[in-house]
Amino acid sequence: MTRTVRIDVGAGYDVTVGPGLLDTCGGALAPLCRGGSAFVVSDSTVAPLYLAQVRRSLEEAGLRVSSFVFPAGEKSKTLATLGHMLEAMAEAGLTRSDLAVALGGGVTGDMTGFAAGVYQRGISYVQLPTTVLAAVDSSVGGKTAVDLRAGKNMAGVFIQPAAVLCDTDTFATLPEKWFRDGLAESIKYGILTDRELFFRFDGLDRSEMPELIARCVAIKGEYVHRDPLDCWDRRYLNLGHTMAHAMEKLSGYTLAHGHAVAMGTVMAARYGERLGLTEAGTTEEICRIYSKNGLPVSCPYDAGALARAASMDKKRTGGDVTVVLIETIGRCFLKKMPVSELYELARLGLEG
Ligand SMILES: NC(=O)c1ccc[n+]([C@@H]2O[C@H](COP(=O)([O-])OP(=O)(O)OC[C@H]3O[C@@H](n4cnc5c(N)ncnc54)[C@H](O)[C@@H]3O)[C@@H](O)[C@H]2O)c1
Ligand SMILES: [Zn+2]
């Protein structure tokens, strides 16, 4: 039932996916913690559910455990929370040979990774993702961040985790909205490179999640291996994200990321189809699979607003943006376009 995917970047690390991993995490993590102290970070929703279990396992493995809990939600992903976390690490007496442990979703993982990257100029950290999105995306690849007033993920460092343990039993408590949100990114990997994976989401059997997550992680791992610092090839992972980021911004960040990615991917498909770049019928097929998994496929914003918001995206280089377009389900390509073309992407990407 348990699967392991090796991520081949830097020293390399294993992503282990399966049930029951929190109960045994101490045995897996103790060898990564020479100093003997683990600092577990979690949010106010996840901590009451899983922190005691993780603490018990780490202590049974002989580690000293301290913890830091912050209020759940994206609104906590700030420099202020990061500051409190770093102070708590110092108060706990954490040294360079100790270990930070991120127990939670992408918000927890992104901030813990950032703190680990800068605390005493860098200590090791591990990810224990408890959302589908964190499992298939944010826990792997070493991007960490906090939000600034100017936008999401505007400050951060690249630092790869020493290990990722994804206990799929934790999804039992994950609210349905967040479960579906992570499916959007999972389906994205199928559209990118794996047609068979894409169709596994047609009538998803949730007992197969460990296998599907491992496949998504393996795909992400390939991109991360080829492009650790997100300079070229890793941009493929941004399928659907140009318009998704614009929608998130327009919603004042109340729209969940995966839901925005679903709508953004549909827009990329429709734009490509209308220009004859994407195989006919692709948009319909993608809409069908997203809808079947409870994800939205029509965007509530107009083309002008989307284009304006998208043109401020941090991913642009000078006057150009690179967007990911779909050739057919399972194969995508990058297209560089002037920022002015974003309006056409939005206009042709919308229905009607
Ligand atoms: N670093 C990267 O490469 C990367 C990639 C994608 C997204 N991200 C970031 O990830 C964040 C989104 O991640 P997320 O969707 O996991 O958000 P999140 O961490 O806020 O988790 C979503 C909600 O689910 C709750 N939750 C988490 N696990 C639970 C569980 N097992 N049971 C019950 N409740 C649970 C959390 O408390 C939270 O309220 C964003 O900040 C985004 O920028 C980073
Ligand atoms: Zn994403």
Side-chain angles (χ1 to χ4, degrees), residues 137 185 188 241 257 261:
D137 195 354
E185 294 278 14
K188 177 193 80 179
H241 281 56
H257 178 69
V261 168

Side-chain angles (χ1 to χ4, degrees), residues 43-46 49-50 72-74 77 104-110 130-134 137-145 147 152-153 170-175 178 181 185 220 234 257:
D43 73 25
S44 55
T45 304
V46 176
L49 295 167
Y50 301 112
E74 183 74 28
K77 203 173 130 181
V107 169
T108 302
D110 277 16
T130 64
T131 65
V132 176
L133 184 128
D137 195 354
S138 62
S139 65
V140 176
K143 279 195 197 178
T144 74
D147 304 333
K152 266 189 72 166
N153 299 328
T170 61
F171 301 154
T173 55
L174 191 61
W178 294 114
D181 201 60
E185 294 278 14
K220 176 153 186 183
R234 204 160 155 176
H257 178 69

Side-chain angles (χ1 to χ4, degrees), residues 102-177:
L103 171 66
V107 169
T108 302
D110 277 16
M111 281 199 296
T112 310
F114 193 173
V118 297
Y119 181 73
Q120 298 193 354
R121 300 194 184 87
I123 66 168
S124 295
Y125 79 109
V126 294
Q127 297 264 14
L128 309 183
T130 64
T131 65
V132 176
L133 184 128
V136 299
D137 195 354
S138 62
S139 65
V140 176
K143 279 195 197 178
T144 74
V146 297
D147 304 333
L148 299 182
R149 272 196 294 275
K152 266 189 72 166
N153 299 328
M154 290 283 283
V157 295
F158 277 98
I159 173 174
Q160 300 293 337
V164 181
L165 300 181
C166 172
D167 184 341
T168 48
D169 286 342
T170 61
F171 301 154
T173 55
L174 191 61
E176 189 57 26
K177 172 189 165 182

Side-chain angles (χ1 to χ4, degrees), residues 64-82:
R64 293 178 298 278
V65 181
S66 47
S67 59
F68 177 82
V69 178
F70 63 91
E74 183 74 28
K75 64 183 183 318
S76 286
K77 203 173 130 181
T78 61
L79 283 169
T81 312
L82 182 77

